[in-house]
Amino acid sequence: MPSSLEPPDDTTRAVLLAWIKTFPAVLNKVKSIEDLTDGLIFSDMLEDFDPAYAIKDISKTTSSTKWISAKQTLEAVYKNLLKYSHEHCDNWVKAAVVEYPIDFNALAQYSDPTESTKLITIFLLVALKGPNQLRYIDRVRTKLSHDMQSVIANHVATIEQDLSIALPDLDPHRIAKPYDALDLEEKYSAVSMEHAALKKRNADLITRLENLSESRDHLLDETKEQDRLIKQLQETVNHGGKSEYISRLEKRLEDSEQLIANQEQQLEDARVNRELKNKELVSIKHTRDLETQDRLKELEVENSALSKRANKVDHYEKKLAQQNAIEKENARLREQLDVLQENQKDYDKVHMENELLKTTRREYMKVLEGQENTITDLKNKDRTSS
């Protein structure tokens, strides 16, 4: 048995699962490879190969017979897949199917990843090498990333190598690469695009040739007309006269010369008029400059006078402020003087009263002293008489 699927790595399993999801009937029904063990997804994939090989009657399972029913479904799907490959695929696919026997007990009961990968690989080989390989190659190319496509290509290449070792008698020329048809389709598309581009270039060249032919015919007609006119003029000159055509040309020439002369005169008049206006503008500008300077001087004089007046006003205002301050100070001093005078009057009055009291006291003291002397004399007399 080839060793390419033992054991399957996580990357290969993930890519194979992504490839299964490219089938329209599958879409989001499967989340992991373990979801394939009931055989229903494989049945949908087989129906996508050819509805004639689909499993019509799928038994309903119960919890106790679930894995047995899954095994029966898987076996039925595998049987129809073998029938489809024998009827529609080449000997290489048939040999690959034989080299990858499936253990349905392990797959249905234990969800064995190796057996699941084997069965998926058989479906992959039948899809990529069967009668509808272009459809399935296009799905791989459009629905899977480049990294996933590389994993699938390497996986198939490994199987091819293992089969070439296990079956050396198998014709190697019958082993077609899964992307040969796609490469041919791309080459055909590139050739078709190149052919379309060449057709477009050819059409453009034909159009240009037609345009050049029309231009050539037009130039030939003009050349013939010029030759006819030259011949007519030559005949007229030879006969010594002027033709009506020459007269018209001379008249047009005179009109053109007159028009040119008029335009030159108009240009000269315009130039003179422009120079006069420029001179007037210069004169007006000079006059306005002088007026502006005079006005500026007048304004400067007025400004100086106003400045002097303003200085005088400021001086008078300062003097007035000083005078007001002096008057206020005088009023305050007068008030203080009045207060002092009132105080002085009170003081004089009190002083006079004080002096009067002093005089009264002195007089009282004199009287008191006289009385004391009288009393003393009386006491002395009493002592003497006793």
Side-chain angles (χ1 to χ4, degrees):
M1 179 187 297
S3 61
S4 58
L5 299 178
E6 296 179 359
D9 58 86
D10 294 338
T11 301
T12 303
R13 293 177 62 187
V15 172
L16 291 176
L17 184 64
W19 174 74
I20 290 176
K21 292 180 180 179
T22 62
F23 284 78
V26 177
L27 293 178
N28 296 323
K29 291 182 180 179
V30 58
K31 302 296 183 182
S32 63
I33 289 185
E34 286 73 14
D35 296 334
L36 305 174
T37 55
D38 57 2
L40 299 179
I41 301 299
F42 289 117
S43 177
D44 293 335
M45 295 169 63
L46 182 60
E47 185 175 1
D48 190 77
F49 287 166
D50 191 337
Y53 295 87
I55 306 301
K56 303 299 182 181
D57 298 326
I58 299 178
S59 60
K60 296 182 179 180
T61 62
T62 61
S63 58
S64 60
T65 61
K66 182 176 181 180
W67 77 271
I68 297 176
S69 178
K71 176 185 175 183
Q72 293 174 353
T73 302
L74 288 169
E75 289 175 342
V77 170
Y78 186 72
K79 180 180 179 181
N80 283 9
L81 178 63
L82 291 178
K83 182 179 178 181
Y84 175 82
S85 63
H86 279 287
E87 292 179 358
H88 299 285
C89 298
D90 56 16
N91 292 331
W92 186 89
V93 176
K94 297 175 185 178
V97 172
V98 172
E99 289 297 318
Y100 288 94
I102 307 298
D103 185 355
F104 292 105
N105 288 328
L107 178 58
Q109 189 173 4
Y110 303 108
S111 300
D112 187 272
T114 300
E115 302 303 322
S116 299
T117 307
K118 286 181 183 179
L119 188 54
I120 296 172
T121 300
I122 293 174
F123 270 90
L124 177 65
L125 296 176
V126 172
L128 297 181
K129 296 180 179 294
N132 299 318
Q133 57 179 286
L134 291 179
R135 179 175 65 182
Y136 294 104
I137 289 174
D138 186 65
R139 284 186 188 176
V140 171
R141 184 176 61 85
T142 57
K143 295 185 178 182
L144 298 181
S145 65
H146 291 291
D147 293 338
M148 291 182 177
Q149 295 177 31
S150 299
V151 172
I152 289 178
N154 294 332
H155 186 59
V156 175
T158 303
I159 295 172
E160 292 175 351
Q161 183 179 0
D162 292 342
L163 283 176
S164 64
I165 296 173
L167 302 173
D169 296 334
L170 189 65
D171 186 5
H173 298 289
R174 299 297 301 275
I175 304 176
K177 294 184 179 180
Y179 293 108
D180 286 346
L182 181 59
D183 293 338
L184 291 175
E185 183 180 357
E186 291 180 352
K187 291 179 181 179
Y188 175 76
S189 177
V191 171
S192 298
M193 292 177 62
E194 185 178 358
H195 177 66
L198 290 174
K199 286 179 65 178
K200 185 177 182 301
R201 287 183 59 189
N202 187 36
D204 293 339
L205 290 174
I206 292 173
T207 303
R208 290 179 61 187
L209 180 60
E210 291 176 353
N211 294 333
L212 290 174
S213 298
E214 292 179 359
S215 299
R216 177 178 174 277
D217 294 339
H218 181 68
L219 291 174
L220 288 175
D221 293 338
E222 289 185 351
T223 302
K224 290 179 181 179
E225 180 65 19
Q226 294 293 333
D227 291 340
R228 187 185 65 79
L229 292 175
I230 292 172
K231 185 177 181 181
Q232 183 179 358
L233 290 173
Q234 187 66 36
E235 290 177 354
T236 302
V237 171
N238 292 335
H239 288 82
K242 291 183 178 180
S243 66
E244 182 180 356
Y245 178 74
I246 295 177
S247 299
R248 288 200 305 270
L249 290 178
E250 290 179 348
K251 183 66 170 62
R252 288 178 60 186
L253 182 60
E254 291 177 358
D255 294 340
S256 298
E257 290 177 351
Q258 183 64 33
L259 179 61
I260 292 172
N262 292 335
Q263 290 179 349
E264 289 178 349
Q265 184 62 38
Q266 290 176 0
L267 290 174
E268 181 65 21
D269 294 340
R271 185 185 64 79
V272 173
N273 190 18
R274 185 172 62 253
E275 290 180 355
L276 291 175
K277 287 184 177 180
N278 289 334
K279 290 180 180 179
E280 290 178 358
L281 288 174
V282 172
S283 177
I284 292 171
K285 183 179 179 182
H286 180 68
T287 303
R288 288 184 177 178
D289 289 341
L290 293 177
E291 292 177 354
T292 303
Q293 291 178 1
D294 294 339
R295 180 59 179 166
L296 181 60
K297 290 180 180 179
E298 292 177 359
L299 291 175
E300 288 177 351
V301 173
E302 292 179 359
N303 188 26
S304 178
L306 291 174
S307 298
K308 291 179 180 180
R309 291 179 183 178
N311 292 332
K312 288 182 179 180
V313 170
D314 292 338
H315 180 67
Y316 291 147
E317 287 179 351
K318 290 179 180 179
K319 281 189 174 183
L320 181 61
Q322 291 177 357
Q323 185 67 28
N324 291 332
I326 292 171
E327 289 180 355
K328 289 180 181 179
E329 184 66 19
N330 289 336
R332 187 180 64 80
L333 292 174
R334 280 196 296 269
E335 290 177 357
Q336 290 181 357
L337 181 60
D338 293 338
V339 172
L340 290 174
Q341 287 176 353
E342 291 293 331
N343 292 336
Q344 185 65 35
K345 289 179 180 180
D346 293 338
Y347 176 77
D348 292 340
K349 183 178 180 181
V350 171
H351 182 69
M352 290 176 64
E353 290 178 354
N354 191 22
E355 291 295 329
L356 181 60
L357 289 174
K358 286 181 179 181
T359 303
T360 303
R361 181 177 177 278
R362 284 195 299 268
E363 291 177 354
Y364 177 75
M365 290 299 293
K366 288 179 180 180
V367 172
L368 182 61
E369 185 179 356
Q371 289 178 357
E372 287 179 353
N373 292 329
T374 301
I375 292 171
T376 302
D377 291 337
L378 290 176
K379 286 180 178 181
N380 290 328
K381 286 179 178 182
D382 289 337
R383 288 176 185 169
T384 304
S385 61
S386 59

